[in-house]
Amino acid sequence: MTAPTTDLRVVDDPDRDVFVLLVDGRPQGYACYRVAGRLVVFTHTEVDPAQRGRGVANELARQALEQVRASGRRVAPVCPFIAAYLRRHPEYADLVRPRTPTPYS
């Protein structure tokens, strides 16, 4: 499903550690992250309930991941939505940091 608008953008706000989803120029969602060296750890994603079911959350994930790719960094998907998006979109598999086993794994 795609968004019914042609003005859908995702902008990075590195001062706040968030990718902001703009629909017709207005904030309608966000994907929070933390940076650890060359790793972007996505922690939480949220979209305005009025925008749900229109594909805008998928577009938020896609554009955020494309920006991470362009920066040369990798991703650790702690956020369940971003993790699910990555499972459905193998074209981003190269961005995902391999899980490092721990003694408790």
Side-chain angles (χ1 to χ4, degrees), residues 1-104:
M1 190 174 251
T2 58
T5 180
T6 56
D7 187 17
L8 191 145
R9 293 182 300 126
V10 174
V11 296
D12 186 10
D13 183 347
D15 293 334
R16 294 181 28 220
D17 293 336
V18 65
F19 285 99
V20 180
L21 168 69
L22 300 172
V23 177
D24 295 328
R26 295 183 2 212
Q28 297 293 306
Y30 55 86
C32 299
Y33 63 86
R34 294 285 180 248
V35 175
R38 302 293 301 155
L39 187 66
V40 176
V41 181
F42 282 95
T43 58
H44 180 72
T45 302
E46 194 163 323
V47 172
D48 184 303
Q51 296 296 331
R52 292 183 185 153
R54 297 176 160 185
V56 296
N58 285 327
E59 188 63 13
L60 169 58
R62 187 190 71 76
Q63 288 191 35
L65 291 169
E66 287 296 332
Q67 291 180 48
V68 170
R69 175 175 276 150
S71 75
R73 296 177 290 175
R74 300 200 61 194
V75 171
V78 173
C79 167
F81 179 80
I82 297 294
Y85 184 89
L86 287 165
R87 282 191 299 276
R88 292 189 314 270
H89 294 273
E91 64 269 27
Y92 293 107
D94 62 304
L95 292 180
V96 180
R97 179 196 69 180
R99 186 171 177 268
T100 305
T102 67
Y104 307 105

